[in-house]
Amino acid sequence: MTGSFRSIYNGSAILVADIPVVGSGQFLQDILDATDHGWRVSSYFGIPGDADIALYCVLANKAEGRLAVTRTASDGTTFPSIASLCPQLQLFEREIAEQCGLTFVDHPWFKPVRFHRSFRSGHDAWNRPEDKPLRVGVMNYFQVAGDEVHEVAVGPVHAGIIEPGHFRFQCHGEEVFHLEISLGYQHRGIEAGLVGGPHPRTLQQMETAAGDTTIGHGLAFCMVMESLTGVRVPPRAEVLRGIALELERLANHTGDLGAIAGDVGYLPTASFCGRIRGDFLNMTAVLCGSRFGRGLLTPGGTIFDLTPEHRDDLLKRLADARRDLTNAVDLLWSSPSVMGRLEGTGTVHQETALELGLVGPAARACGIKRDVRHDYPFGIYRMTHLPVATAFHGDVCSRTMIRWQEAQKSMDFIEEQLRQLPGGGHRTKAAPRTGLSLAVALTEGWRGEICHVAITDDKGSFVRYKVVDPSFHNWQGVAMALRGEQISDFPLCNKSFNLSYCGFDL
Amino acid sequence: MFRAIISRIRQGHRTMPYPKAPLQMPDRFRGYPVVSTLAQSAEQHDETAECPYGAFTASGGGCLDMGKCLFCAECPAGDIQFTTDYQLAVTDRDHLLVRPGSEHHHARPLTPDLRRMFGRSLKFREVSAGGCNACEADTNVLSTIGWDLGRFGIQFVASPRHADGLWVTGPVTENMAQALLTTYEAIPAPKIVVACGACAINGGPYIDSPRVRNGADSLVPVDLYIPGCPPHPATILDGLLRILDKLR
Ligand code: SF4
């Protein structure tokens, strides 16, 4: 790594002035060199100024367990794209283009991401007229031409109780040549609203950024606030946060295991897991009253403590849920008809996963050992190490297997932590934020790496607050998994990723 | 095959007896609010102690709008105590306003002709219009074996053409407004609309964001409001059973 990067550890803050500003050529070359040497891009975003746009890139290096930040300035009109050399950047570049009205030259796939106006009024990367409403989903889709090739369009409203998104398949008979996914329907304007923050609404907006990942995103936000204020979180709160994060993982993994079983028509596991998922949600409600963990977290600790009665209650519920879940999931592995449907379906090769920068279970299913809890440990994971589960084939079966392995490890973790809950307080008082700083917080949500970055002005207010949900990295993985598959396998492949729409659309 | 049967026996019959037997809510659950008359202390709160969502007004002894309220763990706004009563759903928007000593309203049964039509078979088409997937998840959970919504004749269906009602979650983003209207129009009349969750009622945490429309009733007429962020499945089911007159 060259000197143009400033090192930073997960959950810490540095002065913005300490990050060297490099020329755009060196900025891009440094990113290419770093990604060639095993670094990956966690976040890449722009801050629109009066005349120029500051571009920040946060990279992560697993081998060294550290993150690095670099920045440059663009003139506010055009910037070179390196997406074809570094595919994990393609969506980031489009996002910056849409948010900052900056045109990326030579981008191979230059389309809007969420269909909203840019943060700089009067600047639009696609020169769309200001007086005409933007129409979501209207763009040039990649099309395959030829005899007997047809196009299938699905969404935004889908068949089940599920968030909206638009999917375009290029098919030859039943076989999918290509899938293009166009989102943005859920865009609520979270990042634009965070400028000048934190506001009184910010914590709830972070908890609902992706509402099935309340703890994952809420925790990242709390970590940002704590690093900006220098507040230390009491050990008891760190443990409670870890328990909540693993309960969130368990609920969602259990739900996914059931849904995958349902999508291959294996109803026993589907219906058992649908219910057991609720058991984990109810355990979160024991902690804080909300099945989704709303109201548990606060910068500086947790709002609720755990009484001994609650702890015993949780231990008992956990033992019951473990017994039921093990029983339900074991059925999958011993049913040849289920395995026949899971194995070899929706394969993403490891090389592809690395190029796209996939995260979470989707990456680990391809044999990539990538887990924030392990690579850039935060909170309780600094003390207790959770083994990282990986599989090899990158297919639906691997993604299913990973969920079960992770679920088991999460249950072990929660049980152990409940039995050795440290004493002391669970909350530290807030303190004033430091100004002119940059803070980074990474957490491992159940879908993978969540990255929050805050940059503050001289008063400590956010000049920019950037949120990257794991789904932002992973949607392209779904598209790749469908190549060469039967279109009828789309629900199964999609479910094996189970990505967030609102987390992507924010 | 045998393993599946043995598992079925082990897992047992798990559909809850509700509504025949009462539900046990977690003791930290935040349900129906009690707004007390300590108007003075409410007025002592300074500017910064206001409800960020405009759900609480201190004047006149205090008034909490359950449609806007997120049932926060720590309410900076006023003298509000949340009980564990999960029965929150109402038919009229203004029945969500809770004042000291005000009557606890519930959802009203549908009109007799609607009940004749939907009483034994009520199908919804769900549209998430900016929902965070929590309201969606806790709506979905009603169809699992624990709650078994089907036993009441209620079901979520894939096509609006097969539906009797529209089920809205989310604050209605600009980018979903059109799709929501199109879905509504595709449902044959007579039809009902349910706004599920704080977002769908009034925008929730995103109220007044320039990218959202502050809830479903800005576009379509709403027949059932279900508060909460997200509503507990019991809150949702309570509302549904009441409009079908299966619970009084
Ligand atoms: S609980 Fe939250 S949303 Fe409700 S009145 Fe209090 S601060 Fe407002």
Side-chain angles (χ1 to χ4, degrees), chain A residues 114 158 160 164 184-186 188 201 204-205 208 211-212 275 287-288 291-292 294 305 310 324 327 334 427, chain B residues 3 7 11 14 27-28 30 52-53 74 125 128 130-134 137-138 158 173 175 205-207 209:
Chain A
R114 305 180 178 114
H158 302 281
Y185 298 89
Q186 300 283 75
R188 294 156 292 174
R201 293 180 186 170
Q204 279 86 13
Q205 294 194 348
T208 51
D212 48 26
R275 183 192 66 76
L287 282 178
C288 65
R291 284 156 55 90
F292 293 84
R294 307 275 157 91
D305 197 2
H310 284 139
D324 290 348
N327 176 270
S334 57
R427 191 170 183 177
Chain B
R3 292 179 65 121
S7 283
Q11 300 267 347
R14 303 301 281 264
D27 52 8
R28 286 173 176 174
R30 294 177 289 284
Y53 307 96
E74 281 181 325
R125 168 64 252 194
S128 168
C132 74
N133 207 24
D138 262 355
T173 51
N175 286 351
Y206 302 97
I207 184 171
S209 156

Side-chain angles (χ1 to χ4, degrees), chain A residues 130-441:
Chain A
E130 290 252 324
D131 50 347
K132 286 218 192 100
L134 288 184
R135 291 186 51 214
V136 57
V138 176
M139 62 177 204
N140 286 329
Y141 289 89
F142 181 81
Q143 274 186 318
V144 179
D147 280 353
E148 295 171 17
V149 172
H150 65 281
E151 187 179 69
V152 179
V154 183
V157 178
H158 302 281
I161 303 182
I162 177 172
E163 296 178 70
H166 185 72
F167 300 77
R168 286 268 176 117
F169 300 87
Q170 308 294 321
C171 298
H172 181 253
E174 288 290 299
E175 187 187 344
V176 177
F177 281 165
H178 178 76
L179 162 62
E180 185 164 0
I181 302 167
S182 178
L183 303 176
Y185 298 89
Q186 300 283 75
H187 179 62
R188 294 156 292 174
I190 293 185
E191 283 187 9
L194 278 163
V195 175
H199 304 295
R201 293 180 186 170
T202 301
L203 179 59
Q204 279 86 13
Q205 294 194 348
M206 293 294 99
E207 287 183 334
T208 51
D212 48 26
T213 315
T214 297
I215 302 294
H217 276 286
L219 186 53
F221 170 69
C222 289
M223 284 164 61
V224 164
M225 295 296 285
E226 285 145 12
S227 59
L228 286 173
T229 52
V231 162
R232 297 280 296 253
V233 179
R236 189 173 175 88
E238 296 283 29
V239 172
L240 293 175
R241 288 171 166 195
I243 290 171
L245 188 64
E246 297 310 320
L247 281 175
E248 187 166 88
R249 195 179 321 280
L250 276 164
N252 285 293
H253 280 6
T254 303
D256 286 349
L257 286 163
I260 289 168
D263 273 342
V264 300
Y266 191 68
L267 297 185
T269 304
S271 57
F272 299 153
C273 285
R275 183 192 66 76
I276 302 163
R277 172 176 167 279
D279 290 346
F280 291 115
L281 294 176
N282 289 339
M283 290 168 72
T284 303
V286 168
L287 282 178
C288 65
S290 156
R291 284 156 55 90
F292 293 84
R294 307 275 157 91
L296 177 66
L297 304 173
T298 182
T302 57
I303 291 184
F304 292 99
D305 197 2
L306 197 67
T307 64
E309 297 77 55
H310 284 139
R311 192 198 56 179
D312 296 344
D313 182 19
L314 284 179
L315 280 168
K316 159 126 200 348
R317 287 169 185 255
L318 184 65
D320 291 350
R322 183 198 288 266
R323 185 199 59 225
D324 290 348
L325 184 60
T326 309
N327 176 270
V329 175
D330 275 350
L331 287 178
L332 287 182
W333 319 133
S334 57
S335 305
S337 60
V338 171
M339 295 308 281
R341 288 285 283 112
L342 303 185
E343 281 172 348
T345 307
T347 302
V348 178
H349 296 289
Q350 191 183 79
E351 216 173 290
T352 313
L354 285 169
E355 278 204 353
L356 294 176
L358 298 192
V359 295
R364 296 193 281 274
C366 302
I368 302 170
K369 226 173 162 195
R370 183 175 282 171
D371 187 325
V372 178
R373 294 172 295 173
H374 179 268
D375 303 337
Y376 320 98
F378 55 97
I380 180 63
Y381 306 103
R382 291 200 200 106
M383 312 292 164
T384 308
H385 298 287
L386 264 160
V388 182
T390 52
F392 296 98
H393 302 293
D395 54 3
V396 174
C397 187
S398 295
R399 289 189 285 276
T400 311
M401 212 84 108
I402 286 286
R403 285 188 168 83
W404 172 230
Q405 288 175 13
E406 293 186 14
Q408 288 169 288
K409 298 197 162 74
S410 295
M411 289 188 283
D412 294 343
F413 171 89
I414 296 172
E415 190 176 334
E416 187 186 317
Q417 296 302 323
L418 282 174
R419 290 195 193 283
Q420 53 180 38
L421 207 58
H426 60 97
R427 191 170 183 177
T428 314
K429 269 224 151 44
R433 290 182 299 280
T434 51
L436 303 172
S437 303
L438 177 145
V440 182

Side-chain angles (χ1 to χ4, degrees), chain B residues 51-53 55-56 64 68-72 74-77 80 82:
Chain B
C51 166
Y53 307 96
F56 184 77
L64 179 78
K68 290 181 178 170
C69 184
L70 304 184
F71 298 81
C72 311
E74 281 181 325
C75 176
I80 302 164
F82 293 107

